[in-house]
């Protein structure tokens, strides 16, 4: 295993089966595997056989973000309890952002916390949900309303999982990588925006993922519990979560990364209006994002509903809606409160 991020315990794994067997060995047969139907279908074979994993220690839940809810959490807790899990057990989370978020939350709260390892199978999970210590679940239509900070024992990245993804899911995770460049590394932005999704180079993509992980590590190490500069990682997410919740509320769900991309379009505009980002640059970047992700799923007539949804954002402190803005590409301005 090659260290990608020491602070976030992220490793690049060339032999995922051998590495997970090595990491799971100290737990004996008290090892459990959580995945959803999608990762079972496309990714379990890539993972291979885990020596210490009994067949009845595998739980498969429904896929999709609508399953990241209290009912599924209870299902996971009851599964662990009924199959003899103890405080010295290990939970392996194999899947995308939903599984990494929810599995991490359930592990962190079961018997006041057991160890867990994330094996993210999507770009989005590899650069975002699987690392940094944020875990959680949705409450109704509200995204990540319940959760705790808890770092995975290890996060294993492997490029073979990326080959199981369609273009839309590749793009969904790529939105977070664009965000990372916008808030920290202007030199990476042009490279990212020029990536060819019609003929993806998976080796190049994994290199870009590793670079993106390093950016997230910078913010996590500086501010582990999101009291200050780590809020930079929320760029695009205030509007993005509103777009995502709006879609769920109207039974037209969208991939998380698409909602974040649309959120970045709006927050680039806010950055040019309320901070010092050059308007022409904001518009050029926004236009490229539109070329990749299309137009937002809400119109001007939905403005009031989006603003109401943003009032539930966890960054708010009662003064208004809290945004992260970028005064220039590669720099951030956190805690910018806007009253609409």
């Amino acid at each position: 295993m090659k260290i990608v991020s020491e602070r976030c315990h992220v490793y690049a794994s060339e032999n995922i089966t051998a590495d997970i067997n090595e990491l799971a060995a100290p737990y004996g047969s008290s090892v459990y595997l959580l995945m959803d139907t999608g990762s079972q279908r496309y990714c379990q074979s890539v993972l291979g056989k885990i020596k210490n994993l009994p067949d009845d220690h595998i739980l498969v839940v429904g896929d999709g973000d609508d399953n990241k809810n209290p009912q599924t959490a209870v299902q996971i807790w009851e599964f662990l309890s009924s199959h003899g899990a103890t405080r010295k057990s290990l939970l392996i989370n194999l899947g995308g952002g939903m599984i990494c978020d929810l599995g991490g939350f359930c592990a962190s709260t079961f018997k006041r916390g057991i160890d867990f390892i994330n094996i993210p199978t999507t770009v989005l999970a590899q650069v975002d949900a699987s690392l940094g210590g944020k875990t959680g679940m949705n409450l109704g239509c509200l995204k990540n309303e319940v959760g705790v900070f808890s770092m995975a024992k290890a996060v294993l990245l492997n490029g073979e999982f990326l080959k199981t993804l369609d273009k839309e899911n590749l793009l969904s995770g790529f939105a977070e990588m664009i965000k990372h460049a916008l808030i920290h590394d202007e030199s990476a932005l042009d490279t990212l925006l020029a990536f060819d999704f019609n003929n993806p180079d998976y080796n190049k993509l994994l290199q870009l993922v590793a670079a993106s992980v390093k950016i997230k590590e910078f913010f996590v190490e500086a501010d582990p519990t999101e009291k200050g500069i780590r809020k930079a990682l929320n760029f695009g997410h205030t509007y993005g979560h509103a777009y995502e919740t709006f879609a769920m509320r109207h039974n037209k769900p969208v991939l998380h990364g698409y909602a974040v991309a649309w959120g970045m379009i709006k927050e680039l505009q806010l950055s040019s209006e309320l901070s010092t980002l050059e308007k022409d640059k904001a518009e050029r970047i926004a236009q490229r994002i539109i070329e990749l992700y299309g137009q937002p799923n809400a119109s001007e007539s939905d403005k009031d509903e989006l603003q109401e949804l943003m009032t539930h954002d966890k960054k708010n402190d009662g003064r208004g809606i809290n945004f992260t803005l970028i005064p220039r590409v590669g720099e951030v301005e956190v805690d910018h409160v806007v009253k609409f």
Side-chain angles (χ1 to χ4, degrees):
M1 293 182 289
K2 178 182 178 182
I3 295 176
V4 175
S5 166
E6 187 171 3
R7 175 66 180 82
C8 296
H9 309 155
V10 182
Y11 303 88
S13 173
E14 293 184 359
N15 188 329
I16 192 73
T17 305
D19 290 338
I20 197 65
N21 278 327
E22 178 183 341
L23 289 167
Y27 299 88
S29 61
S30 195
V31 176
Y32 300 80
L33 174 63
L34 173 68
M35 55 187 165
D36 61 21
T37 53
S39 50
Q40 180 189 39
R41 184 181 308 116
Y42 298 111
C43 303
Q44 188 178 12
S45 61
V46 178
L47 178 61
K49 176 64 176 175
I50 301 173
K51 294 177 182 177
N52 286 11
L53 178 68
D55 290 341
D56 64 347
H57 283 197
I58 299 173
L59 176 62
V60 181
V61 299
D63 61 4
D65 203 65
D66 54 345
N67 285 292
K68 197 170 82 171
N69 57 41
Q71 292 75 30
T72 309
V74 170
Q75 181 185 357
I76 296 167
W77 288 321
E78 290 180 341
F79 174 80
L80 291 171
S81 182
S82 64
H83 287 79
T86 71
R87 294 186 71 178
K88 296 183 178 180
S89 297
L90 173 71
L91 180 64
I92 300 168
N93 301 313
L94 175 70
M98 187 275 282
I99 287 294
C100 292
D101 276 353
L102 186 59
F105 173 71
C106 289
S108 302
T109 49
F110 181 75
K111 294 188 182 294
R112 297 197 176 101
I114 65 174
D115 288 345
F116 66 98
I117 292 172
N118 288 333
I119 305 178
T121 59
T122 66
V123 178
L124 180 60
Q126 289 191 355
V127 300
D128 185 39
S130 68
L131 58 137
K134 280 188 178 181
T135 71
M137 63 182 175
N138 303 334
L139 192 62
C141 288
L142 300 177
K143 288 282 295 178
N144 300 319
E145 189 78 351
V146 179
V148 297
F149 285 96
S150 183
M151 201 73 72
K153 192 77 173 177
V155 179
L156 299 184
L157 308 182
N158 183 278
E160 289 300 307
F161 293 119
L162 303 184
K163 297 177 182 179
T164 70
L165 302 175
D166 57 23
K167 180 180 177 181
E168 286 70 28
N169 277 284
L170 286 174
L171 277 166
S172 182
F174 205 75
E176 293 286 349
M177 297 167 66
I178 294 171
K179 177 201 72 178
H180 287 161
L182 283 169
I183 65 174
H184 191 67
D185 188 3
E186 182 175 15
S187 64
L189 185 61
D190 290 340
T191 300
L192 290 172
L193 294 178
F195 188 82
D196 185 0
F197 283 94
N198 294 316
N199 297 286
D201 180 336
Y202 291 100
N203 290 327
K204 177 65 175 177
L205 180 57
L206 194 60
Q207 292 171 13
L208 295 173
V209 164
S212 197
V213 167
K214 295 293 289 183
I215 293 175
K216 183 160 185 176
E217 177 190 41
F218 168 82
F219 289 103
V220 171
E221 187 168 21
D223 179 20
T225 56
E226 200 176 34
K227 303 297 184 184
I229 192 61
R230 183 172 173 170
K231 295 177 185 177
L233 294 168
N234 289 308
F235 180 71
H237 282 65
T238 303
Y239 260 105
H241 281 156
Y243 281 128
E244 193 169 5
T245 304
F246 175 88
M248 292 172 64
R249 181 180 284 182
H250 293 272
N251 297 314
K252 296 180 179 179
V254 297
L255 292 171
H256 173 74
Y258 278 71
V260 169
W262 298 334
M264 287 192 290
I265 292 170
K266 292 294 291 187
E267 293 174 31
L268 282 165
Q269 180 183 348
L270 283 179
S271 295
S272 68
E273 293 173 352
L274 304 176
S275 189
T276 57
L277 182 64
E278 296 175 7
K279 183 178 181 180
D280 288 349
K281 177 167 282 191
E283 290 177 347
R284 286 198 303 273
I285 297 169
Q287 182 55 44
R288 178 57 180 148
I289 293 174
I290 290 170
E291 290 171 3
L292 289 170
Y293 296 93
Q295 293 285 354
N297 60 344
S299 64
E300 183 64 22
S301 63
D302 301 309
K303 179 176 66 175
D304 290 344
E305 184 174 356
L306 290 172
Q307 290 176 5
E308 183 275 325
L309 289 170
M310 285 189 286
T311 64
H312 297 283
D313 192 281
K314 294 181 291 299
K315 299 184 301 300
N316 297 338
D317 60 7
R319 295 177 297 154
I321 299 172
N322 194 319
F323 286 91
T324 292
L325 303 181
I326 53 173
R328 58 193 57 81
V329 177
E331 298 181 17
V332 290
E333 176 184 310
V334 301
D335 292 329
H336 195 114
V337 176
V338 177
K339 294 183 178 180
F340 289 101

